Amino acid sequence: MEGTTLRLVQHHVTAGEFGSATLYRAGTLTVSEADARRALASPALASTRVSWASPGDSARIVKVLDVVQPRTKGVGGRGIFPGILGAATPQGRGETHVLQGVAVVAAGYLPRAQEAVIDMSGPGQPLSPFGATHNLVVEFTPADGASWEAVDAAVRVGVLRLAALLAEAALDARPNEVQTLRGAPFPKASNLPRIGAITNLQTQGTFKDVFVHGKSFGAAPPTLFDPNEVHDGAVVSGQFGHPALKNPTYMHQTHPVVAELRRRDGRDLEFAGLILAPEPVEAEQKERVALQAAELCVAAGFDGAVVTKEGGGNADADISLKIDALADRGIGAVGLFAEMAGAEGTAPSLVVPPERGTALISTGNYDEVVRLPAVERALGGATVDVAGAAATADLELPTAVIYCSLSPLGAGYLTCREVA
Amino acid sequence: MSRVVHYVNQFFAGLGGENAASTPPGVKPGAVGPGKKLQELLGAGHEIVATVYCGDDLAAVSPEALATVLDLVAQQRPDIVVAGPASTSGRYGVACARVAAGAVRAGVPAIASMHPDNPGLDDAGAAIVVASGASVREMGASLERLAAAARKRLAGEALTEADGRIGKVPRKNVLVDRNAAGRGVDLLLARVGGRDAPAEVPVPKFDHVTPAPPVADLSKAVIALVTESGLVPVGNPDRLESARATRWLRYPIAGKPTAPAGEYASVHGGYSTVWANQDPNRLLPLDVARELEREGAIGTLHGEYLVTTGNGTTVPNARRFGVEWAAELRRAGISAAILTAT
């Protein structure tokens, strides 16, 4: 059976600046503010502003919503972010241009969003994966009379459009690297253990939702999904709870677990595929989804699965139930968990632990307090709401507030250790 | 010369037993009671500069008394605080644990000594606890262990089970050189291959709560509404947290027939509150509770509801809310509570 392939054409960005035209040259991404405004324009938004925040800057981004990596399949997008920018048709084949080292960051007030902070320098910088990227920060002012739902949708679409436009600047540039990625299917080809990924998406209603091909994945059953599709933006985040524990669009595009399984495919494992699963709110539905996901793993011939989540305590159950359901079907599983061990690190780490599995990875303790020294400028808002302080102030915040610091998809380098 | 401050209760401070359990916080210069033996065991180079004491009744329940104790301790500019041994004495153990935890929060190393069964063990926060014997008959051995632990801690060495360390060892965030996805695949391959590789998170064991027996006659019962849904009056006047709540609140509902939209809203950050805010009775079932009250199916509804946000709440805080709610509802003569969860 001949599978499809996707060529990821990678261009490295080492500096960002503004200029009269949008250009990519010798690692520098120049952005025309007028082009950016056009990409972001919507009847739901009175105005938009873009600013750069780069690693080492004395800058803080607050009220971070989504983060997107610039990618396009050609002029006008050509199918990137299917179901939102392009038609809702399967992607994940052909060629996709990627700007590495740069991110489009939406930041501003939405009513249900929890405060989320990225520091570009100081002790907070290494805690967020986006302390290391050149960030084009998008701020916005809602139009009079626009509903928050319309503002949310406008920001989401605008940021995706801008991300595609930026990548377009590199279409003719010589790439730094080209990766050819195998797509589905993934038939058994060796005696190596067949390992797949189960990626739970926090689909819990407006402002806490994840879109697949442009539609909420909330009512969908667990689905065997071509991983090449996620690289083309088939999964887009609209989930603004638990900033440390969220998976922005960027993390789906670059999917750290899939990247790790691909890296080792044919060496010490065989990549067996990707399953997307919703995270429902009702306990019974969580159980149903766990059982269905386990059956899919059996059908796809998984020997083991890396199970990940998005969100806080109740989402622990979505991993734990799957680990248990997989154990019942004789399939090994590891879960990536963030710990909620209290500020002093002495409380129980998990809300809902598995009953039949102990292979648990820690992405760090949500409650540990970090001190962020004052910065010169802030983007995204004038205050840090959880701290009741100015956005540029010296802050003491739980790690929970630092954007993607406990990346449930495994992008981060934090873990927890007992300190005797 | 390192400065050691010793915390003891009223009994070991020589002020009396149960009759003196309300003794307010105080300080005596140098070593007192078991502190004299402790000083001997600590040896030259370490001096118990003061003994801070408080009556067990006050120390275990009064935040003000605890704050005073911690002030008295801080005034001595200690290099280390040692508390106990408390053996199996519950209030004394709780006090020792809280004094040690408070010292650590203030940046001073601290060690509490108590028996592993002492309920104070859970209150020690990030402080070190070493095991003592079950009773004062084992005081000598308990003091030897405490002195050895204090010397080791002052030398900057880590304390382990071999030193008699008991209780929770704090878990701290550290940055490592492989991302969680990579470490996860390593662990999975080891387990799938039948190799025993260590996990990174200890699996917690939770206790099981036996539900109270059913209410015999609901038509005479006083029912309280309690919720972790984050439902508060619009504007969140008391600033209830949207996540990681550290407290709970109460709001009057006496005489209110329903919880109307626009008057209440949820601040909970853990679920989409759109539907709940359209009809807050979905979180606080006041409308149907009033119907049941009118029909006589229940006696009366309690005049206020209790609320917190159950979102990323630590287990110790959640347990504390439970204890405080139970005490509060019993005091108010409530026979049963409806606890709505989200």
Side-chain angles (χ1 to χ4, degrees):
Chain A
M1 196 164 18
E2 195 61 23
T4 54
T5 59
L6 174 67
R7 269 164 52 86
L8 280 190
V9 184
Q10 314 257 13
H11 306 279
H12 296 176
V13 174
T14 51
E17 60 176 27
F18 289 115
S20 55
T22 301
L23 299 167
Y24 171 76
R25 202 162 42 207
T28 297
L29 179 64
T30 307
V31 176
S32 148
E33 290 171 85
D35 285 351
R37 271 196 299 274
R38 268 194 298 278
L40 295 164
S42 160
L45 302 176
S47 66
T48 61
R49 298 164 296 288
V50 286
S51 316
W52 282 106
S54 285
D57 288 1
S58 179
R60 176 173 295 147
I61 314 169
V62 304
K63 303 188 182 6
V64 180
L65 299 170
D66 197 21
V67 178
V68 182
Q69 187 180 53
R71 293 190 175 204
T72 190
K73 300 182 75 64
V75 175
R78 293 283 193 88
I80 200 83
F81 304 116
I84 298 186
L85 294 195
T89 52
Q91 297 297 325
R93 46 200 79 160
E95 200 166 85
T96 297
H97 286 259
V98 181
L99 297 186
Q100 287 283 4
V102 65
V104 182
V105 176
Y109 176 81
L110 279 183
R112 298 296 312 139
Q114 282 178 261
E115 184 62 88
V117 169
I118 300 171
D119 266 18
M120 299 309 296
S121 55
Q125 184 197 8
L127 298 180
S128 172
F130 305 107
T133 50
H134 295 275
N135 297 324
L136 185 66
V137 181
V138 173
E139 296 173 281
F140 57 90
T141 306
D144 280 344
S147 71
W148 286 114
E149 287 82 356
V151 172
D152 170 34
V155 171
R156 179 161 44 255
V157 174
V159 163
L160 297 177
R161 213 184 280 132
L162 178 56
L165 179 80
L166 297 181
E168 214 171 293
L171 281 177
D172 298 325
R174 214 168 80 194
N176 296 85
E177 193 189 336
V178 177
Q179 271 180 292
T180 301
L181 303 176
R182 201 154 61 88
F186 298 93
K188 183 172 172 65
S190 72
N191 285 323
L192 293 167
R194 286 174 54 75
I195 309 294
I198 301 178
T199 302
N200 296 337
L201 308 176
Q202 185 149 58
T203 47
Q204 301 186 342
T206 309
F207 305 128
K208 282 188 82 75
D209 215 344
V210 184
F211 305 94
V212 177
H213 291 154
K215 291 279 181 240
S216 166
F217 201 62
T223 302
L224 193 62
F225 203 73
D226 186 343
N228 279 352
E229 283 232 57
V230 300
H231 304 314
D232 272 350
V235 181
V236 167
S237 173
Q239 199 290 108
F240 308 123
H242 289 298
L245 302 178
K246 71 172 257 125
N247 298 320
T249 301
Y250 185 104
M251 288 301 168
H252 295 295
Q253 294 173 289
T254 57
H255 205 303
V257 173
V258 166
E260 177 72 10
L261 294 176
R262 285 190 187 283
R263 194 175 67 74
R264 297 165 75 153
D265 187 25
R267 285 161 49 183
D268 54 0
L269 58 83
E270 192 172 284
F271 180 32
L274 168 67
I275 290 167
L276 299 181
E279 276 178 10
V281 286
E282 306 89 351
E284 270 179 26
Q285 295 303 314
K286 287 180 188 290
E287 285 170 21
R288 184 180 64 90
V289 166
L291 294 172
Q292 290 171 330
E295 293 311 307
L296 266 188
C297 291
V298 172
F302 285 21
D303 295 316
V306 180
V307 190
T308 63
K309 69 161 184 169
E310 177 165 29
N314 82 85
D316 282 4
D318 294 279
I319 302 188
S320 295
L321 290 166
K322 288 188 183 75
I323 290 177
D324 288 341
L326 288 165
D328 290 343
R329 298 298 261 126
I331 296 171
V334 66
L336 307 193
F337 287 90
E339 302 189 40
M340 293 179 158
E344 287 168 333
T346 51
S349 298
L350 306 181
V351 178
V352 187
E355 289 176 5
R356 294 187 284 289
T358 58
L360 317 181
I361 290 291
S362 167
T363 66
N365 177 13
Y366 178 87
D367 298 306
E368 189 169 312
V369 174
V370 288
R371 167 111 186 261
L372 304 179
V375 292
E376 284 169 17
R377 66 188 171 108
L379 298 165
T383 57
V384 172
D385 291 343
V386 281
T392 52
D394 185 308
L395 300 171
E396 276 194 358
L397 292 175
T399 308
V401 182
I402 300 186
Y403 196 76
C404 290
S405 55
L406 309 166
S407 171
L409 266 178
Y413 293 82
L414 267 186
T415 187
C416 262
R417 288 200 183 138
E418 287 191 353
V419 177
Chain B
M1 178 71 72
S2 57
R3 297 172 63 83
V4 181
V5 169
H6 189 201
Y7 175 81
V8 295
N9 68 358
Q10 81 284 353
F11 177 76
F12 290 107
L15 302 169
E18 273 306 312
N19 57 326
S22 298
T23 303
V27 59
K28 292 185 175 190
V32 171
K36 294 198 168 124
K37 174 76 176 168
L38 184 63
Q39 175 65 71
E40 231 181 273
L41 292 164
L42 283 167
H46 308 288
E47 186 188 354
I48 298 180
V49 292
T51 302
V52 175
Y53 59 83
C54 181
D56 279 337
D57 271 352
L58 271 184
V61 299
S62 157
E64 295 76 25
L66 179 65
T68 308
V69 166
L70 289 171
D71 272 349
L72 293 173
V73 168
Q75 282 165 21
Q76 300 296 326
R77 292 172 288 108
D79 297 306
I80 195 166
V81 177
V82 293
S87 307
T88 51
S89 163
R91 287 166 303 164
Y92 186 22
V94 167
C96 286
R98 290 184 182 170
V99 168
V104 169
R105 267 195 296 276
V108 180
I111 303 176
S113 165
M114 66 190 72
H115 188 267
D117 291 342
N118 195 305
L121 197 56
D122 288 341
D123 285 33
I128 294 165
V129 183
V130 292
S132 77
S135 77
V136 288
R137 283 195 301 278
E138 296 155 83
M139 183 61 89
S142 302
L143 286 170
E144 272 175 35
R145 182 173 271 171
L146 178 57
R151 279 200 308 267
K152 208 164 171 182
R153 180 66 186 84
L154 280 166
E157 291 173 51
L159 287 157
T160 65
E161 275 177 44
D163 302 296
R165 183 167 184 168
I166 53 172
K168 296 279 170 46
V169 178
R171 297 175 62 74
K172 293 282 175 202
N173 282 340
V174 288
L175 284 164
V176 292
D177 57 7
R178 269 168 75 58
N179 75 10
R183 303 195 314 273
V185 174
D186 289 347
L187 178 57
L188 179 58
L189 283 180
R191 295 288 178 92
V192 167
R195 296 185 302 281
D196 189 26
E200 294 184 351
V201 189
V203 178
K205 295 267 179 283
F206 291 114
D207 46 354
H208 287 266
V209 177
T210 311
V215 177
D217 184 1
L218 269 176
S219 69
K220 296 195 174 62
V222 185
I223 307 286
L225 298 181
V226 183
T227 180
E228 60 70 64
S229 64
L231 189 79
V232 293
V234 160
N236 193 13
D238 302 300
R239 301 189 64 80
L240 179 63
E241 299 106 320
S242 67
R244 302 177 304 281
T246 57
R247 62 215 175 87
W248 56 273
L249 299 167
R250 65 177 94 207
Y251 292 104
I253 47 173
K256 280 184 188 290
T258 178
E263 196 171 319
Y264 295 95
S266 172
V267 295
H268 200 292
Y271 62 92
S272 177
T273 54
V274 174
W275 300 103
N277 290 341
Q278 279 180 6
D279 182 359
N281 291 290
R282 289 172 174 151
L283 300 177
L284 185 76
L286 186 55
D287 54 354
V288 287
R290 288 289 180 219
E291 268 173 46
L292 293 170
E293 196 180 29
R294 275 196 304 276
E295 289 165 5
I298 61 173
T300 54
L301 209 54
H302 185 41
E304 50 190 20
Y305 75 97
L306 311 184
V307 59
T308 188
T309 297
N311 179 28
T313 315
T314 61
V315 173
N317 273 338
R319 187 182 285 134
R320 174 168 61 82
F321 298 162
V323 169
E324 289 170 355
W325 285 345
E328 167 70 22
L329 297 177
R330 283 177 79 93
R331 192 189 56 74
I334 308 301
S335 17
I338 295 170
L339 206 156
T340 51
T342 55

